[in-house]
């Protein structure tokens, strides 16, 4: 689908600021925020044009004297995390790879978790090692089955690439206005997410996406 057309449009018009960091640098920025330290030392981005564009600071290692990059901590205003299950108190479990979710949540000022299932604390306690976020790190929990749609949720459903393609057709044709048209046509008519799923996706398509996800499980 190419470059993010809407983001590019806003940046080119001066409506948004743009910074480019490597994947590792972004992960370390969240990690620093989660740890409560102002920066973390790393070798990533050193000597690159990205380091120049971001005016990346460097420090001398007090142990070896080597020059390392100092990537600054990042504290998002809000982290939105989708999980497989959570209890009513905000203890959260995610199956499969967790990416940067834990560090993003711990670095953020507010954390909202949407979950496929709301379960009892006793059910989570059967596998305590799977709990990636404790209740005191979460501000709100929302029960939203298929809440990652049209993206995927590991083991439960695959991404709906056809839906993505229809959205991108509108964006390619009209840029940010295409995204607004999509929201007005596909999102705003429905008071509940479940109504959107019933009308715009349908149970048959959801079953197909779920079946495809199950094929990837061990």
């Amino acid at each position: 689908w190419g470059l993010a057309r809407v983001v590019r449009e806003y940046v080119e018009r001066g409506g948004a600021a743009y910074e480019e960091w490597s994947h590792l640098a972004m992960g370390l920025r969240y990690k620093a925020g989660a740890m409560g330290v102002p920066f973390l030392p790393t070798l990533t981005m050193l000597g690159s044009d990205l380091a120049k564009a971001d005016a990346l600071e460097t420090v001398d290692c007090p142990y070896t004297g080597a020059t390392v990059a100092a990537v600054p901590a990042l504290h998002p205003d809000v982290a939105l995390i989708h999980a497989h299950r959570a209890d009513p108190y905000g203890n959260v479990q995610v199956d499969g790879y967790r990416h940067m979710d834990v560090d993003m949540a711990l670095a953020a000022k507010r954390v909202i978790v949407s979950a496929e299932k709301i379960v009892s604390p006793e059910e989570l306690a059967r596998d305590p090692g799977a709990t990636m976020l404790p209740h005191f790190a979460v501000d709100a929990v929302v029960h939203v089955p298929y809440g990652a749609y049209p993206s995927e949720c590991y083991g439960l459903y695959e991404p709906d690439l056809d839906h993505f393609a229809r959205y991108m057709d509108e964006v390619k044709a009209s840029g940010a206005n295409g995204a607004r048209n999509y929201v007005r046509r596909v999102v705003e008519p429905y008071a509940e997410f479940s109504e959107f799923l019933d009308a715009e996706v349908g149970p048959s398509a959801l079953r197909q996406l779920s079946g495809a996800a199950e094929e990837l499980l061990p």
Side-chain angles (χ1 to χ4, degrees):
W1 293 312
L3 296 173
R5 170 73 183 272
V6 175
V7 173
R8 178 169 182 168
E9 185 174 317
Y10 272 85
V11 170
E12 289 179 345
R13 292 180 177 179
Y18 178 75
E19 295 181 9
E20 187 169 359
W21 298 79
S22 72
H23 259 98
L24 177 56
M26 282 300 296
L28 291 173
R29 294 191 67 189
Y30 288 128
K31 176 72 74 175
M35 294 173 63
V37 297
F39 71 91
L40 280 177
T42 180
L43 298 177
T44 188
M45 294 176 59
L46 280 180
S48 70
D49 288 339
L50 288 181
K52 296 177 183 177
D54 291 330
L56 183 64
E57 297 287 347
T58 60
V59 295
D60 294 332
C61 174
Y63 300 104
T64 67
T67 298
V68 293
V71 293
L74 186 60
H75 294 280
D77 290 332
V78 181
L80 304 175
I81 306 293
H82 188 67
H84 288 73
R85 68 196 69 85
D87 69 16
Y89 301 105
N91 298 296
V92 179
Q93 292 185 346
V94 168
D95 299 334
Y97 190 53
R98 298 171 181 177
H99 301 279
M100 304 174 187
D101 287 2
V102 174
D103 287 334
M104 283 193 292
L106 296 180
K109 300 171 185 175
R110 294 287 185 269
V111 178
I112 300 173
V113 173
S114 57
E116 295 286 334
K117 293 181 180 180
I118 301 297
V119 300
S120 67
E122 290 74 20
E123 182 170 339
L124 295 189
R126 294 173 193 157
D127 187 11
T131 300
M132 72 169 196
L133 286 177
H135 63 90
F136 55 80
V138 176
D139 295 282
V141 177
V142 188
H143 181 214
V144 189
Y146 292 98
Y149 181 91
S151 191
E152 76 270 21
C153 189
Y154 172 77
L156 297 182
Y157 47 90
E158 284 287 274
D160 189 340
L161 300 182
D162 290 337
H163 191 99
F164 273 121
R166 291 194 296 272
Y167 165 75
M168 284 306 303
D169 285 343
E170 294 193 48
V171 171
K172 287 179 180 179
S174 306
N177 284 332
R180 295 187 188 97
N181 291 336
Y182 171 87
V183 171
R184 283 193 290 265
R185 180 177 56 80
V186 179
V187 178
E188 291 180 351
Y190 309 106
E192 300 290 340
F193 186 64
S194 58
E195 296 176 8
F196 156 79
L197 291 176
D198 289 339
E200 299 290 340
V201 187
S204 177
L206 291 176
R207 283 194 298 269
Q208 290 180 357
L209 296 174
S210 297
E214 291 173 0
E215 293 176 358
L216 300 177
L217 293 176

